[in-house]
Amino acid sequence: MSRISGIDPELTHRLTRRGMLGVAAGATAAALLGAAATPATAAPVTATEVSAGRGRPVLPPGRLGIQLYSLRDKVSTLGFAAVFAELEKYGYDEVEFAGYTQGSAGPITLAQLRRLARNHGLTPIGSHVGYYSSDPNAYTFAQNLTKVLDDAQALGLKHIGTASGPFRYGSTVDAWKRAAEEFNTYGAAARARGMKFYQHNHSDEFGFATDNPKVRLYDVLLAETDPDLVFLEMDIFWAYAGQFRFSNRPDGTPAPFEPLDYVLRQPHRYPLFHVKDGVSDPSNEFGYRMVDVGDGDIDYQRFISAVTRLRGERLAHHWQAEHDNPVESFAFAQKSSAHLHSLREKC
């Protein structure tokens, strides 16, 4: 698969994340999902939520997190304690893990890690774990489900998921149905522990089935997984990259979709989001160049507001800032928090 400048940023992201983890809609949607559900009614902004002509914060209180993959350089050199201390200063509420070890800072137990987060006012909200591996001893859902769930439970996580796409058996409709059934199994096991299993997308999930180019693979995932067992963490950057790449079918016929519409149709299925920004760049195969949150063209005021204004949904979602390869990870974390906290509802 050709990539701009010979580098595949999405593949690089997957491989580096996998290594770290090893250590520790349109007509198609209507056809598969039936008639789209009517989006929930937006809750009005009350007078008490408006001050000095400014709307209430777009970001709900207590719901800003960060994916620690963005800070993996600091975790591996300084350790979790130093990283959590910085995140506390920047106003973060939650953390999402991408591995539970900290390199040169020395060993740390899960109990210590949970206590350390709590001491810095941070709630461990989720974690990314591999989907499958050819190694029977691998730390993945397919190979070591019980261990994965044991560790998540020890950390007090409410969500446990994977950033791996459902490509284990290929890109056909039946292949994704088979993967969806496995996801249902993981979801049932997680629910029995009081947790939600989730899948985090990249852009390829929005492509089309190789045996039926009229079918979007993401729609197969939604249709074939039990909505009470399998949840989604929308990586907003990669979803818009998917929109750029796959708004036409392989034969060139239009197949437009809006990532936000997926959420508005089934908001309960999206408890988590990755807030990742990009500058529009049509010369790039993905349509965007990844940048710090607030420096790009993705309208997060519109996106977050559209979700949180749905009646009953304001506190139902968690927003994790992320950058796959920030120039300086602490600066990224600080800037992202400041930007997201500054956003206000339009009155």
Side-chain angles (χ1 to χ4, degrees), residues 15-288:
L15 292 176
T16 52
R17 185 188 293 276
R18 185 178 302 154
M20 188 173 186
L21 291 170
V23 178
T28 304
L32 283 166
L33 301 175
T38 302
T41 305
V45 178
T46 65
T48 57
E49 294 170 326
V50 180
S51 175
R54 300 181 69 196
R56 69 177 177 181
V58 168
L59 187 73
R63 291 298 184 270
L64 178 61
I66 191 165
Q67 166 52 253
L68 292 172
Y69 180 76
S70 303
L71 297 160
R72 60 195 181 279
D73 61 324
K74 298 298 194 295
V75 171
S76 65
T77 55
L78 304 177
F80 284 109
V83 169
F84 289 173
E86 288 299 308
L87 295 179
E88 183 180 18
K89 292 178 187 175
Y90 303 156
Y92 283 93
D93 309 297
E94 301 171 337
V95 289
E96 182 183 34
F97 288 100
Y100 310 134
T101 59
Q102 56 178 358
S104 61
I108 186 169
T109 67
L110 295 178
Q112 290 171 329
L113 188 52
R114 181 178 184 177
R115 183 166 57 251
L116 188 61
R118 183 178 66 245
N119 289 345
H120 288 286
L122 299 168
T123 300
I125 193 65
S127 181
H128 284 188
V129 175
Y131 168 18
Y132 67 93
S133 172
S134 58
D135 178 1
N137 298 312
Y139 191 76
T140 63
F141 282 95
Q143 277 66 46
N144 275 292
L145 177 61
T146 299
K147 174 61 175 172
V148 167
L149 296 180
D150 284 346
D151 289 351
Q153 199 165 24
L155 282 167
L157 300 182
K158 296 179 180 178
H159 309 84
I160 181 68
T162 184
S164 303
F167 294 95
R168 182 178 187 181
Y169 305 107
S171 298
T172 65
V173 172
D174 283 344
W176 273 52
K177 287 182 177 181
R178 188 176 175 186
E181 189 55 40
E182 292 184 341
F183 282 11
N184 286 332
T185 298
Y186 308 151
R191 187 171 71 170
R193 306 277 196 111
M195 294 178 283
K196 292 180 178 179
F197 169 80
Y198 64 96
Q199 193 267 342
H200 162 287
N201 66 275
H202 292 86
S203 67
D204 285 337
E205 285 89 334
F206 297 95
F208 299 94
T210 54
D211 61 333
N212 188 344
K214 292 183 178 180
V215 175
R216 194 181 301 281
L217 289 170
Y218 196 69
D219 296 333
V220 177
L221 178 65
L222 285 169
E224 296 296 329
T225 50
D226 186 328
D228 294 324
L229 299 178
V230 177
F231 299 85
L232 292 308
E233 175 179 61
M234 180 173 281
D235 186 302
I236 300 169
F237 172 91
W238 286 122
Y240 280 105
Q243 180 192 60
F244 178 85
R245 295 179 65 194
F246 301 113
S247 283
N248 290 292
R249 297 186 181 88
D251 65 1
T253 57
F257 73 95
E258 165 57 51
L260 179 57
D261 288 345
Y262 278 107
V263 182
L264 298 184
R265 280 195 292 268
Q266 300 185 73
H268 70 285
R269 295 205 72 178
Y270 293 87
L272 306 172
F273 293 88
H274 273 190
V275 179
K276 185 185 299 180
D277 215 342
V279 172
S280 180
D281 180 5
S283 68
N284 185 309
E285 184 175 355
F286 297 104
Y288 294 89

